[in-house]
């Protein structure tokens, strides 16, 4: 059995990882403020606690999903917390799969591959780049899995990307979505399966380290994504309003589509496009 530790087990991705993990894993999962069955409390900002937990559990592999969406938590949880996790993984000789994001890129070009240098334009993107760099500096063999908008097919309160659209339509409140921001949304079950497949790959077969792009196969604008979600859930998409980053005057990452050729060559899990999932 492989001892697998999931940080952020109470989160959206973490809960799907727990639900999908089967043999060959002996599973351990952490939470921060929302307890889960058999979960272990952990604050990744506390380096000593992280080290003690890793010492007692001795994981073979760690999937680090924990993060804090609020800007207050970015530096301490994402920057320092990820470094604490990498340090503790190194001390116990665990492999680390660290979750990162497509907004490490500016979005000026699109279809980014792993060799493209990060050039974030938001504070969140910058701290996720910092986390990647601190993880890689501590643990050069760590996998830095960059993904895109995560969504599911259920009306799940934890699915923030779908909830934003569906709650607006159901509550008859205006939902405005960007027409000039492109992403490769990934279904949470596909992402969980891909991460577990990566975790199970034997060391010598895992020929990649560093960044790996794991996202859905189809490029859509945030507006198109909203329309697909609405239709899938039987709602009229016409109240969705389209706007552009240009019109708002905001500096936002526009085309952060990810080239997933490397991951597709490595994985059996299909990284389905959003049109296929929300058909
Ligand atoms: N969601 C997306 O669309 C998306 C897109 C691209 C990349 N990602 C990446 O995917 C990963 C997972 O995202 P998600 O949507 O599953 O996140 P999520 O649902 O917000 O879950 C975050 C998790 O982190 C935990 N956490 C918060 N503060 C913590 C702390 N100080 N110490 C330890 N744990 C803490 C939370 O615990 P409690 O709930 O118990 O407080 C929760 O389990 C993140 O790294 C994110 O950057 C997500």
């Amino acid at each position: 059995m492989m001892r697998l530790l999931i940080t952020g087990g109470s989160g959206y991705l973490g809960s799907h990882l727990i639900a999908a993990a089967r043999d060959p894993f002996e599973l351990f999962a952490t939470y921060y403020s929302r307890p889960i069955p058999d979960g272990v409390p952990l604050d990744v900002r506390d380096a000593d606690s992280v080290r003690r937990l890793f010492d007692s559990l001795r994981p073979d592999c760690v999937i680090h999903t924990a993060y804090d969406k609020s800007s207050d938590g970015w530096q301490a949880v994402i920057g320092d917390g990820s470094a604490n996790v990498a340090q503790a993984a190194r001390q116990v000789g665990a492999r680390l799969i660290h979750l990162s994001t497509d907004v490490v890129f500016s979005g000026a070009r699109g279809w980014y591959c792993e060799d493209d240098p990060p050039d974030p334009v938001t504070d969140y993107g910058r701290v996720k780049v910092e986390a990647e760099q601190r993880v890689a500096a501590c643990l050069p063999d760590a996998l830095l899995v960059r993904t895109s908008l995560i969504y599911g097919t259920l009306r799940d309160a934890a699915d923030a990307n779908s909830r934003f659209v569906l709650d607006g339509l159901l509550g008859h409140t205006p939902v405005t979505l960007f027409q000039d921001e492109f992403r490769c949304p990934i279904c949470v079950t596909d992402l969980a399966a891909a991460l577990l497949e990566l975790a199970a790959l034997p060391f010598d077969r895992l020929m990649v380290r560093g960044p790996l792009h794991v996202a859905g196969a189809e490029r859509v604008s945030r507006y198109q994504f909203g329309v697909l979600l609405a239709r899938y859930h039987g709602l009229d998409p016409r109240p969705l309003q389209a706007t552009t980053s240009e019109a708002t005057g905001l500096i936002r990452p526009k085309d952060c589509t990810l080239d997933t050729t490397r991951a597709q060559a490595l994985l059996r899990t299909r990284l389905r496009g959003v049109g296929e999932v929300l058909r």
Side-chain angles (χ1 to χ4, degrees):
M1 294 287 266
M2 175 187 288
R3 295 169 72 83
L4 175 66
L5 173 62
I6 294 165
T7 70
S10 49
Y12 185 44
L13 176 58
S15 61
H16 280 270
L17 283 165
I18 292 170
R22 305 266 183 282
D23 288 351
F25 300 116
E26 184 182 357
L27 193 62
F28 306 93
T30 74
Y31 64 89
Y32 173 57
S33 62
R34 297 176 296 163
I36 50 172
D38 302 321
V40 188
L42 179 70
D43 182 347
V44 294
R45 295 171 297 185
D46 181 346
D48 284 343
S49 304
V50 179
R51 187 177 39 72
R52 277 197 304 275
L53 181 74
F54 279 51
D55 261 351
S56 71
L57 295 179
R58 312 297 297 185
D60 300 303
C61 183
V62 179
I63 304 180
H64 176 46
T65 80
Y67 87 131
D68 188 343
K69 286 188 195 113
S70 66
S71 52
D72 291 351
W74 285 347
Q75 185 57 45
V77 178
I78 299 175
D80 304 338
S82 298
N84 293 339
V85 167
Q87 184 70 34
R90 188 173 77 170
Q91 274 168 11
V92 297
R95 271 178 51 211
L96 176 60
I97 300 176
H98 167 84
L99 263 295
S100 190
T101 170
D102 51 4
V103 297
V104 297
F105 296 113
S106 66
R109 179 162 65 71
W111 294 120
Y112 292 95
C113 64
E114 286 83 352
D115 296 332
D116 288 319
D119 58 346
V121 292
T122 61
D123 288 343
Y124 172 68
R126 278 186 275 274
V127 80
K128 288 295 271 188
V129 172
E130 179 193 323
E132 285 190 357
Q133 291 171 344
R134 291 175 70 179
V135 167
C138 176
L139 208 56
D141 283 341
L143 262 187
L144 310 170
V145 170
R146 294 181 184 141
T147 192
S148 186
L149 302 175
I150 306 172
Y151 69 96
T153 54
L154 306 172
R155 286 200 187 173
D156 181 345
D159 177 356
N161 290 313
S162 302
R163 200 183 60 213
F164 172 66
V165 173
L166 303 180
D167 283 2
L169 289 174
L170 290 165
H172 307 288
T173 51
V175 179
T176 305
L177 297 165
F178 292 107
Q179 249 176 339
D180 59 348
E181 285 190 9
F182 297 92
R183 301 289 187 267
C184 294
I186 183 157
C187 184
V188 67
T189 51
D190 291 354
L191 180 57
L195 292 167
L196 292 169
E197 200 184 329
L198 288 168
L201 281 180
F203 267 83
D204 52 352
R205 274 196 47 212
L206 191 57
M207 302 298 283
V208 287
R209 59 185 209 166
L212 183 69
H213 293 177
V214 181
E218 189 178 342
R219 171 191 194 262
V220 288
S221 71
R222 284 182 177 270
Y223 176 75
Q224 289 168 318
F225 181 39
V227 170
L228 286 169
L229 282 167
R231 290 205 179 114
Y232 181 82
H233 290 280
L235 299 171
D236 180 359
R238 280 177 298 184
L240 296 176
Q241 291 162 21
T243 188
T244 61
S245 296
E246 299 286 355
T248 61
L250 298 170
I251 298 177
R252 291 175 54 92
K254 281 197 187 158
D255 188 344
C256 287
T257 44
L258 297 176
D259 181 327
T260 58
T261 309
R262 195 176 289 179
Q264 288 184 48
L266 192 69
L267 296 168
R268 281 189 319 249
T269 304
R270 279 205 321 118
L271 306 173
R272 294 172 298 163
V274 62
E276 180 181 346
V277 177
L278 299 180
R279 198 156 29 206

